[in-house]
Amino acid sequence: MNMSNRLAFPAIAGGLLLLATSCQQAEHPVAANLIDASSVDSAVRPQDDFFTYANGGWIKRTEIPASQSAWGEVYVLNDQLLERMRSIPDSLSKVTDLKKGSIEQQVADLYTSLMDSAGIEAKGLDPLKEELLSVGNIKDVPGVLDEVCREYVEGNGVLFSFSVNPDDKNSRVEIAHFDQGGLGLPNKDYYFNQDTSVKRVREAYQTYITEAFALSGQDSAQASKSSARVMDAELALAKVSKSPVDLRNPNANYHKLAVSALPGVTGGLPWKNVLGHLGVTLDTVLVGQPEYYKGMYEALQHLPLEDWKAYLSFHLIDAYAPVLGHQVQDAQFAYNKLLSGQTEQKERWKRSIQLVDGLIGDALGQLYVQKFFPPEAKARMKELVDNLQATYAEHIQSLDWMSDSTKQKALTKLHAITKKIGYPDKWKDYSSVDIVRGDAVHNIRQCGAYEYQRNLKKLGKPVDRSEWYMTPPTIDAYYNPTANDINFPAGILQPPFFYQHGDDAVNYGAIGLVIGHEMTHGFDDQGRQYDADGNLKDWWSKEDADHFKQKADLVVRQYNGYTAVDTFHINGSLTLGENIADIGGLSIAYGAFKKTPQGKDSTRIDGLTPDQRFFRSLAQIWRVKSRPEVLRTQVLTNEHSTPQFRVNGPAASLDAFYNTYNVQPTDKMYRPDSLRAHIW
């Protein structure tokens, strides 16, 4: 969802709270082996590159599995979660009398249909035959827009982005959001960047498009021509799209417009027909980037109609590629591996259970929490979150750069944060979704249509703030600015990021960081623009806002100086919010840790002081070995810094790290105090 700020990776840490009553090693029977001593690279000084010092030995001896873009603690945990999720439909498939429409029947039959490789192979592209024929018969631009809307209603979004979400400036009401979209490559930069590695991605994408048309029955000359048409259409869309950095400004991407005024600001685009086909009946909508819609409509009118028919045909095939047989899947993977670096596809069962989680996640999630998430975990996690929140309040009160009046508003927002842990209080009702065992394409359409209608019904109604935007098995967390809530799914509430019998240093360095990170998103460069009720509203004095921006600029400059891979530097502007959250999260977690008995003591475990264990725990949860392809992709597309700098960046900004490792001005990680971003 575009409203959430998520931690990087396919997953990240979480766990339960168990405050230690003593720091003595004898009372922590597993504490001694929670920090992996063998992962250290003794040839690297912690003061020069803490990430490599803490993880370099492990990185040297670790091979990334062929089916993975990277490998580390979080990827191991992700595989464990997939095994758990798979066990649910595997056990249900043996039951012969599952009630039609029950979550058990839907989960079992959806998974079975996705695993039916023989049936999928036999059908090939036949399930799309009628739709491809319909696209081929389009006669004019209105026909293109009609097809786009028809696909949206089935859950397949193309050409632009349409969603139903809270109004950023009236966050208690759901409204239609229209934003830019329609690109097949990750973002607009991929169409213009002349770096050799990016050019290879473009070439691989065009090869994939050509192969998709060849598999649909076109001869080589036709397929090549159709591929060029798709690229022409997407290039036109890319030219009028905003960059990832420009999309980060919430006010600049908020335009509340009367439907009657839309054609005038978008070059005559026939909104009445579009909204009618989409089922949007409100007289006011939000358009994030009006200039995109103006440029899109100009391109629709000026490029040959055959370009748009080719564009729609390809994106139809691409959307259903996972269930169209191995030739299409292989062609898609050959392109995707240029972004990920994988040399083999993930096993079919992994891809299938991830699809089930994505399509009917609340059904799978209900069964997951019944089996794998004990109720006491939720209560203990809430206790830990409350501890971090109290520490955050102390940090706000002690700020030397913020006025008392703004501090009071910040504290009001902090205390208003809703804490959502484990799973939703209300589950989605999928009983109307017709899931059958032998038709994967049908099932995907059914799930897409259900989700579209479920969201459409929210239009104009009060926001249900109990709704989640992640499924319970997800190993991740997020902050939602329009609801002012932090969300920790059940999937993150387990080792290796929280140990029930572990010492506080390890737990606060891991799950404590994650909690602090999500809280800080409410006060990063984007989140700070939303008030306690989740409304996009300026609650800062001008002087305080100027102070914040000065400090945020230090973060931009700090991360701009980090080289992630080859000549690719971290984009400090793109990653600003996540970097502020990392820096603030570490500061808050450390402050909370120092309140514990272990935090106040100096007893060593495995030769490490409590503070050293805290920082080693931070480095250990980001212990990841990544392929260069995925690092390049992350730098160009992702709002999160790469793993090395999610460790070194925050550590270099925290005075306690300097004290713990005696960092001196001659050391590589040293930053003068005037350049350390002491924000939260």
Side-chain angles (χ1 to χ4, degrees):
M1 304 294 293
N2 59 7
M3 64 171 59
S4 67
N5 284 301
R6 300 185 182 181
L7 291 166
F9 290 154
I12 185 53
L16 314 175
L17 171 66
L18 184 64
L19 289 177
T21 56
S22 168
C23 62
Q24 296 301 312
Q25 185 172 343
E27 296 203 25
H28 296 288
V30 300
N33 61 14
L34 296 186
I35 299 296
D36 182 5
S38 71
S39 70
V40 168
D41 184 346
S42 57
V44 179
R45 299 174 69 248
Q47 301 92 337
D48 291 333
D49 180 352
F50 187 63
F51 173 86
T52 305
Y53 159 76
N55 299 319
W58 175 88
I59 289 172
K60 286 178 181 177
R61 65 176 182 267
T62 296
E63 293 292 332
I64 303 172
S67 62
Q68 300 284 348
S69 60
W71 195 246
E73 293 282 354
V74 74
Y75 293 87
V76 174
L77 179 58
N78 191 54
D79 273 4
Q80 294 171 353
L81 262 290
L82 293 175
E83 289 276 10
R84 286 183 179 181
M85 288 191 280
R86 176 172 70 160
S87 72
I88 295 170
D90 276 354
S91 61
L92 291 172
S93 65
K94 300 177 178 65
V95 182
T96 57
D97 58 347
L98 293 174
K99 182 182 177 182
K100 178 69 174 177
S102 67
I103 58 174
E104 291 83 359
Q105 177 266 321
Q106 291 172 319
V107 168
D109 287 354
L110 178 56
Y111 180 72
T112 300
S113 73
L114 296 170
M115 289 294 291
D116 180 18
S117 56
I120 290 172
E121 206 66 42
K123 293 176 183 176
L125 268 66
D126 286 349
L128 301 185
K129 189 174 181 180
E130 289 186 12
E131 289 169 287
L132 289 171
L133 183 62
S134 177
V135 170
N137 289 330
I138 291 174
K139 304 298 182 185
D140 49 28
V141 170
V144 172
L145 293 171
D146 288 350
E147 173 63 20
V148 169
C149 295
R150 185 199 67 76
E151 291 190 34
Y152 251 108
V153 174
E154 279 193 354
N156 180 32
V158 290
L159 194 61
F160 53 79
S161 175
F162 166 58
S163 61
V164 178
N165 284 315
D167 182 342
D168 293 75
K169 294 189 177 181
N170 183 17
S171 63
R172 297 283 174 175
V173 178
E174 300 276 9
I175 193 169
H177 287 244
F178 288 89
D179 293 286
Q180 68 183 48
L183 302 180
L185 289 166
N187 59 42
K188 74 171 295 178
D189 294 339
Y190 275 81
Y191 293 84
F192 308 107
N193 191 312
Q194 295 304 308
D195 181 87
T196 302
S197 63
V198 179
K199 285 183 178 179
R200 284 199 296 266
V201 171
R202 274 200 300 273
E203 292 165 359
Y205 180 55
Q206 188 151 14
T207 297
Y208 165 42
I209 300 171
T210 303
E211 291 185 17
F213 281 116
L215 292 169
S216 72
Q218 294 186 4
D219 62 35
S220 59
Q222 289 176 312
S224 180
K225 189 172 184 178
S226 295
S227 177
R229 289 186 179 282
V230 174
M231 292 300 290
D232 286 346
E234 292 192 16
L235 182 62
L237 298 178
K239 287 178 178 177
V240 296
S241 297
K242 283 189 174 183
S243 71
V245 172
D246 290 336
L247 291 173
R248 296 196 70 256
N249 185 330
N251 276 296
N253 291 280
Y254 180 95
H255 304 89
K256 194 170 186 177
L257 299 168
V259 169
S260 59
L262 289 175
V265 296
T266 57
L269 179 63
W271 282 94
K272 183 177 180 181
N273 290 341
V274 170
L275 296 177
H277 286 305
L278 291 174
V280 177
T281 57
L282 299 183
D283 57 7
T284 304
V285 300
L286 286 178
V287 182
Q289 304 80 31
E291 62 278 10
Y292 172 81
Y293 283 84
K294 181 178 181 180
M296 177 193 81
Y297 191 50
E298 289 177 356
L300 282 170
Q301 293 174 299
H302 296 138
L303 287 181
L305 181 63
E306 293 302 315
D307 287 8
W308 297 108
K309 290 162 71 171
Y311 169 87
L312 290 173
S313 295
F314 165 69
H315 282 285
L316 191 62
I317 296 169
D318 181 57
Y320 288 96
V323 288
L324 292 178
H326 82 277
Q327 289 180 307
V328 178
Q329 292 175 36
D330 290 348
Q332 187 183 64
F333 176 72
Y335 154 62
N336 284 333
K337 70 182 182 182
L338 267 293
L339 298 171
S340 69
Q342 296 167 241
T343 57
E344 293 178 6
Q345 291 199 62
K346 291 182 180 179
E347 297 96 315
R348 187 181 192 92
W349 72 264
K350 289 182 180 179
R351 290 178 277 138
S352 295
I353 199 63
Q354 286 176 316
L355 264 176
V356 174
D357 187 42
L359 293 168
I360 52 171
D362 271 24
L364 180 62
Q366 286 184 69
L367 300 173
Y368 176 88
V369 298
Q370 289 170 16
K371 191 172 182 180
F372 298 110
F373 188 62
E376 58 267 26
K378 194 167 185 173
R380 289 178 175 174
M381 179 65 178
K382 184 179 183 302
E383 186 180 352
L384 181 56
V385 174
D386 289 345
N387 271 351
L388 269 289
Q389 189 178 38
T391 302
Y392 214 124
E394 294 170 4
H395 279 228
I396 290 173
Q397 290 166 336
S398 66
L399 293 175
D400 61 3
W401 58 269
M402 182 182 279
S403 67
D404 288 342
S405 60
T406 305
K407 282 182 184 179
Q408 287 307 308
K409 294 173 184 176
L411 289 168
T412 297
K413 178 172 182 176
L414 175 71
H415 292 309
I417 291 176
T418 301
K419 307 147 197 172
K420 290 156 68 173
I421 299 168
Y423 51 87
D425 296 325
K426 295 184 295 184
W427 300 98
K428 295 176 185 176
D429 178 9
Y430 297 108
S431 58
S432 63
V433 183
D434 179 39
I435 303 292
V436 297
R437 184 158 289 212
D439 195 336
V441 172
H442 164 85
N443 292 339
I444 289 177
R445 286 176 178 149
Q446 280 283 305
C447 293
Y450 162 81
E451 190 63 19
Y452 182 85
Q453 292 300 326
R454 187 188 70 82
N455 280 286
L456 193 67
K457 289 174 184 176
K458 296 190 295 186
L459 270 177
K461 295 182 179 177
V463 173
D464 178 4
R465 294 203 169 188
S466 69
E467 184 175 1
W468 283 60
Y469 299 104
M470 283 184 183
T471 63
T474 305
I475 316 166
D476 208 335
Y478 70 98
Y479 171 77
N480 181 352
T482 58
N484 191 28
D485 64 21
I486 50 178
N487 305 260
F488 304 95
I492 70 167
L493 307 183
Q494 59 189 314
F497 303 104
F498 179 86
Y499 295 88
Q500 187 169 355
H501 301 293
D503 55 313
D504 286 319
V506 172
N507 282 321
Y508 277 89
I511 183 60
L513 164 72
V514 176
I515 296 168
H517 174 106
E518 298 308 334
M519 286 184 181
T520 304
H521 271 311
F523 304 94
D524 68 16
D525 64 307
Q526 291 177 302
R528 76 171 190 85
Q529 299 182 62
Y530 292 79
D531 66 13
D533 290 325
N535 292 311
L536 186 57
K537 181 181 179 181
D538 189 2
W539 50 271
W540 292 63
S541 72
K542 183 181 184 304
E543 184 179 12
D544 290 334
D546 287 343
H547 286 156
F548 178 92
K549 291 172 185 176
Q550 290 168 7
K551 290 179 174 294
D553 187 56
L554 292 178
V555 179
V556 173
R557 285 187 279 163
Q558 175 183 348
Y559 283 81
N560 277 342
Y562 293 142
T563 303
V565 61
D566 304 331
T567 59
F568 287 74
H569 282 244
I570 300 293
N571 185 331
S573 297
L574 177 61
T575 58
L576 178 58
E578 297 297 334
N579 296 334
I580 290 174
D582 279 345
I583 294 169
L586 187 65
S587 176
I588 302 303
Y590 182 79
F593 166 59
K594 296 306 285 185
K595 296 178 179 178
T596 69
Q598 186 187 19
K600 298 173 183 177
D601 200 3
S602 58
T603 304
R604 292 175 181 261
I605 299 175
D606 281 351
L608 299 176
T609 67
D611 279 17
Q612 287 171 335
R613 287 177 69 78
F614 174 88
F615 286 108
R616 286 286 298 279
S617 181
L618 160 72
Q620 191 164 270
I621 65 168
W622 294 114
R623 187 172 69 181
V624 175
K625 182 174 183 176
S626 304
R627 299 186 190 277
E629 294 89 344
V630 77
L631 290 175
R632 285 192 287 265
T633 301
Q634 185 169 348
V635 168
L636 291 171
T637 66
N638 203 294
E639 294 184 351
H640 302 82
S641 294
T642 53
Q644 179 180 7
F645 301 110
R646 300 201 72 173
V647 174
N648 289 356
S653 303
L654 190 64
D655 293 348
F657 177 76
Y658 289 73
N659 297 331
T660 301
Y661 288 97
N662 192 28
V663 181
Q664 298 298 314
T666 54
D667 297 326
K668 292 180 181 178
M669 283 190 62
Y670 181 87
R671 295 181 66 77
D673 187 69
S674 62
L675 296 182
R676 296 177 208 168
H678 302 294
I679 303 181
W680 303 111

